Amino acid sequence: MPHAPARPTLRLAAVLALAVLTVGACASGPSQPERTTLTQEPTVEVAKAAPPAVVVPPRWPLTGEAADAVVDRPAIAVKIENPREVRPQTGLDQADVVWEQVVEGGITRFVAVFHSQVPAEVGPVRSIRPMDPAIAAPLHGIVAFSGGQQAFVRELGQSGVQLMSQDGGAAGFYRKKGVMPAWHNVYGTPTTWWENADAGHSASPPAQFAFARRADQSTVLTAGTPATLLDLRLSGYSRPRWAFDTASGTWLRSEGDTPATARSGTRLAARNVVALRVQLVDSGTKDPAGNPVPETVLVGTGKGTVVSGGKALEVTWSKPATDAVLTLTGPDGSPVTLAPGVTWVELVPASSGSVTVS
C-alpha cells in the first residue's frame, strides 16, 4: 500500500511564519519615534507709554529769562545821557542791558538796550560816541540817537545797524517843553522805532551774554566769593555804587551816595553787573565846547569783575572784532554764565578808574 505525502513539520511552519513576519517588517520600514505636538502661545507685546515731553519755555535773548512767548522784534539801543541835572532818566528801569561809558568832561552816558519790555517813553536822548559801534553792532538792530559828529555817525552806519536819528528826521522823537534846556529835552517812543524797522533789521538779537537756566547755576554763584558792594570810580565826576539787596536778589545802583531811580520812581537794579577794565584813548576829536572826546577801546581783551547774587568773580573779557559778541571767561578759562535777568556793563578806565569789591 503506497505511503501518503509527508506533512511539513511544526518546526518548518514556525520558520516560514517567522520569515513572513520579517519580510513584512522590512517592507514597512524602520519604526518612527512617537511625535509630540507642542502648541506655542502667541507673543503679546505690551505697548510702553512714551515719556512725557519736556517743554522748554522760550527765553528772551538779552536777559535769558523764560517767557510764555518771545516777540520777534529787533533790539533798540538808545543813547541816554547821565549828568546830574537830567536825573532821573525815563525808561532805564525797563532796559534789558545798559552800558555805561565815559565821555568828555568825565561825565558818563548810557547805551540802554530795549527788547523784552516796551517802555512808553525813553530819554533824554543824546548823541553817539566813537565806541558805540562796538556796543551796538553785535545786536544787528536799531540805534536811536540825537546828534553826533559826522565821522561817528558814518562809522555807526557802516557797522550794520539801522540808524534812527533825530537830526536825520526819523519818526518817534520829540522835545518836552519846560523840562530841560533844548539840548537835554529830546525824548522818544520805542514803539515808533520798532514800527519803522526795515526788513534787514527786524529780527530778534542774538544773545550778548551766556546765561544759566537758573540764578543758582550761574558761574558767579557757583565759583565766586561773597560780596555785597561794588564801588566804581569811572572818573572824578562819576562814581556809581552797586549794593546787593538780599530781599530782591538784585544789585541796587546809587550815584555816589544817592539812590538811583528812574523817572517812574523805580530803583535802578540789575541781576548782573559786569565791570570791564578798558583802555580809554583820545579819539582825536573835540566836542562843541572844545573838550577832547575819549574813546573806549572794546576790541581786544582785558580783565573784569562780575557781581551777581551776593557774589563776585574775576573774569577775562574778549572781543575780537567790532561786530563780535563780547565773551567772558573765568579764572580756569571756562565760559562764564550769568544769572537770568537785567545786566549792566560798566566800562571802567584801566588807567584812571577803579573797581573795589567788598
Side-chain angles (χ1 to χ4, degrees), residues 61-64 96-99 206-212 272 274 276 306 325-328 336-338 343-345:
L62 300 186
T63 65
D96 289 348
V97 184
V98 180
W99 296 70
Q208 301 297 288
F209 297 99
F211 289 98
N272 313 285
V274 181
L276 305 180
V306 180
V325 172
L326 185 142
T327 59
L328 302 172
V336 169
T337 56
L338 304 181
T343 300
W344 278 59
V345 185

Side-chain angles (χ1 to χ4, degrees), residues 119-178:
E121 180 180 69
V122 296
V125 181
R126 287 300 301 273
S127 57
I128 62 169
R129 289 296 180 270
M131 50 281 209
D132 292 336
I135 295 172
L139 295 165
H140 307 299
I142 296 168
V143 180
F145 62 97
S146 174
Q149 297 189 31
Q150 286 303 309
F152 301 162
V153 174
R154 182 170 57 253
E155 291 174 6
L156 185 62
Q158 292 172 348
S159 70
V161 300
Q162 181 180 356
L163 305 185
M164 295 287 184
S165 169
Q166 187 252 350
D167 300 82
F173 293 93
Y174 50 89
R175 293 188 181 273
K176 297 184 72 171
K177 303 297 183 181

Side-chain angles (χ1 to χ4, degrees), residues 87-94 252-253 259-269:
R87 301 170 190 158
Q89 298 93 330
T90 300
L92 282 179
D93 54 322
Q94 293 180 271
L252 304 180
R253 179 182 172 90
T261 64
R263 179 70 65 180
S264 64
T266 303
R267 185 74 182 272
L268 297 182

Side-chain angles (χ1 to χ4, degrees), residues 232-249:
L232 305 174
R233 183 183 189 276
L234 302 185
S235 69
Y237 183 93
S238 182
R239 299 192 177 196
R241 303 179 73 192
W242 294 88
F244 182 62
D245 178 56
T246 305
S248 64

Side-chain angles (χ1 to χ4, degrees), residues 212-236:
R213 288 289 176 183
R214 302 196 316 262
D216 60 358
Q217 296 175 336
S218 68
T219 307
V220 184
L221 268 293
T222 58
T225 56
T228 57
L229 182 66
L230 176 64
D231 201 341
L232 305 174
R233 183 183 189 276
L234 302 185
S235 69

Side-chain angles (χ1 to χ4, degrees), residues 1-289:
M1 182 171 177
H3 295 285
R7 294 180 179 178
T9 65
L10 292 175
R11 181 183 296 272
L12 177 60
V15 170
L16 291 174
L18 179 62
V20 171
L21 291 174
T22 301
V23 171
C26 292
S28 63
S31 62
Q32 298 297 316
E34 185 178 355
R35 294 182 181 181
T36 303
T37 302
L38 299 179
T39 301
Q40 186 175 2
E41 294 292 334
T43 301
V44 178
E45 295 186 0
V46 179
K48 296 181 179 179
V54 177
V55 178
V56 179
R59 292 179 180 269
W60 292 101
L62 300 186
T63 65
E65 293 182 307
D68 293 334
V70 172
V71 180
D72 189 21
R73 59 182 171 225
I76 300 177
V78 186
K79 291 304 302 285
I80 299 178
E81 62 177 341
N82 189 40
R84 294 184 184 96
E85 59 268 25
V86 306
R87 301 170 190 158
Q89 298 93 330
T90 300
L92 282 179
D93 54 322
Q94 293 180 271
D96 289 348
V97 184
V98 180
W99 296 70
E100 186 171 18
Q101 57 189 214
V102 177
V103 295
E104 57 277 2
I107 63 173
T108 62
R109 192 158 290 180
F110 301 128
V111 179
V113 184
F114 300 92
H115 184 244
S116 68
Q117 298 189 63
V118 183
E121 180 180 69
V122 296
V125 181
R126 287 300 301 273
S127 57
I128 62 169
R129 289 296 180 270
M131 50 281 209
D132 292 336
I135 295 172
L139 295 165
H140 307 299
I142 296 168
V143 180
F145 62 97
S146 174
Q149 297 189 31
Q150 286 303 309
F152 301 162
V153 174
R154 182 170 57 253
E155 291 174 6
L156 185 62
Q158 292 172 348
S159 70
V161 300
Q162 181 180 356
L163 305 185
M164 295 287 184
S165 169
Q166 187 252 350
D167 300 82
F173 293 93
Y174 50 89
R175 293 188 181 273
K176 297 184 72 171
K177 303 297 183 181
V179 177
M180 284 286 173
W183 52 91
H184 296 299
N185 65 0
V186 176
Y187 287 74
T189 52
T191 53
T192 302
W193 300 328
W194 271 310
E195 290 169 357
N196 286 278
D198 61 34
H201 300 89
S202 59
S204 289
Q208 301 297 288
F209 297 99
F211 289 98
R213 288 289 176 183
R214 302 196 316 262
D216 60 358
Q217 296 175 336
S218 68
T219 307
V220 184
L221 268 293
T222 58
T225 56
T228 57
L229 182 66
L230 176 64
D231 201 341
L232 305 174
R233 183 183 189 276
L234 302 185
S235 69
Y237 183 93
S238 182
R239 299 192 177 196
R241 303 179 73 192
W242 294 88
F244 182 62
D245 178 56
T246 305
S248 64
T250 63
W251 290 76
L252 304 180
R253 179 182 172 90
S254 295
E255 298 285 359
D257 296 325
T258 304
T261 64
R263 179 70 65 180
S264 64
T266 303
R267 185 74 182 272
L268 297 182
R271 287 284 175 185
N272 313 285
V273 182
V274 181
L276 305 180
R277 296 170 181 85
V278 295
Q279 296 299 320
L280 202 64
V281 300
D282 188 344
S283 68
T285 62
K286 297 183 183 297
D287 69 2

